[in-house]
Amino acid sequence: MIRIVIPGWAMPPALYAALNPDVVFDYGFFPGSIESADASFDVFPLDSTNPSAVMTFAPPKQPYEMVAHSMGALAALARSPLRDNAERVVILGGFAKFAKSSDNPLGVPISDIDAMFEN
């Protein structure tokens, strides 16, 4: 079965390789290092500021599973061809809301999230 991995922040490329993926989405968090982790999987580049861009990826016709971590869970659960056609969806460390706000006081401060995009 084909395995598609949709990463989140702070998931190093070596961990992608350990999941034995066929396809890994690259949000650009580790430029140039994904291919060096394991050349046996395809890399599909995405814009980290637009997780819904996963919708532009044409999923395979044969059965596949999707493994999503953190922010990748948002893309995996979004209304998209990936979610609709997956035989299995595995979510690692998914959460309902990441950013700190009045309804999520334990979330990550917006300034910290902004800094993640800058680095």
Side-chain angles (χ1 to χ4, degrees):
M1 179 177 300
I2 291 174
R3 179 174 290 158
I4 297 172
V5 174
I6 307 176
W9 278 313
M11 187 174 176
L15 188 52
Y16 306 156
L19 294 172
N20 298 314
D22 295 291
V23 175
V24 172
F25 289 93
D26 175 19
Y27 289 106
F29 299 141
F30 304 98
S33 62
I34 289 178
E35 291 83 358
S36 66
D38 184 339
S40 68
F41 54 82
D42 293 327
V43 177
F44 188 79
L46 288 178
D47 178 356
S48 64
T49 63
N50 184 12
S52 65
V54 171
M55 295 175 73
T56 64
F57 176 80
K61 297 200 182 306
Q62 61 267 47
Y64 64 94
E65 71 178 1
M66 195 170 25
V67 179
H69 168 250
S70 187
M71 186 178 81
L74 173 66
L77 296 175
R79 185 51 116 169
S80 74
L82 275 177
R83 190 210 62 199
D84 293 344
N85 297 327
E87 188 167 305
R88 280 188 286 238
V89 177
V90 179
I91 303 294
L92 306 171
F95 42 81
K97 191 169 185 178
F98 186 67
K100 186 174 187 173
S101 64
S102 60
D103 64 338
N104 188 32
L106 299 178
V108 175
I110 296 294
S111 59
D112 291 355
I113 295 171
D114 288 341
M116 289 181 203
F117 280 108
E118 293 169 9
N119 292 324

